[in-house]
Amino acid sequence: MRAAERFLKLVPVQTRERGQSYHATGHVLALTCVHPDQTYTAVVRGSEDYAVTLSYSDRNWTSACSCPMHYDCKHTVAAMLELQKLWAEDS
């Protein structure tokens, strides 16, 4: 959980705010666990549907996105927030 918070804090504030808005308005269409606590994929709706991958390794989260920014974008923030929400619901 701390690594997820660290990931979010490293994203620029404006990008984080946009991602929070995307999450709050339901732009995360799907979140799938590929490998528990290691790899998750998501579909996040922007100007089109983007594929997001969140990967945990060496105590850090990294991201990839099919949008023009490719990583640490509003789509990855929205996906990480959805993952945090699911963790909270599970505990």
Side-chain angles (χ1 to χ4, degrees):
M1 191 67 108
R2 286 185 194 197
E5 289 297 325
R6 201 169 42 247
F7 170 85
L8 291 170
K9 287 181 181 178
L10 290 173
V11 176
V13 172
Q14 186 177 21
T15 302
R16 190 167 55 244
E17 289 172 351
R18 287 179 178 163
Q20 290 167 336
S21 175
Y22 266 44
H23 181 257
T25 55
H27 286 251
V28 180
L29 303 180
L31 180 71
T32 304
C33 175
V34 178
H35 298 289
D37 300 324
Q38 289 182 341
T39 309
Y40 297 83
T41 59
V43 177
V44 180
R45 177 152 292 157
S47 54
E48 58 186 75
D49 291 352
Y50 294 108
V52 173
T53 302
L54 300 171
S55 302
Y56 184 74
S57 177
D58 298 324
R59 299 184 193 170
N60 290 302
W61 284 98
T62 57
S63 65
C65 185
S66 62
C67 79
M69 284 202 48
H70 302 292
Y71 64 96
D72 295 353
C73 60
K74 60 190 171 191
H75 311 107
T76 63
V77 169
M80 181 59 80
L81 291 169
E82 184 67 15
L83 182 55
Q84 286 183 312
K85 177 182 160 193
L86 290 176
W87 286 337
E89 290 171 357
D90 284 348
S91 54

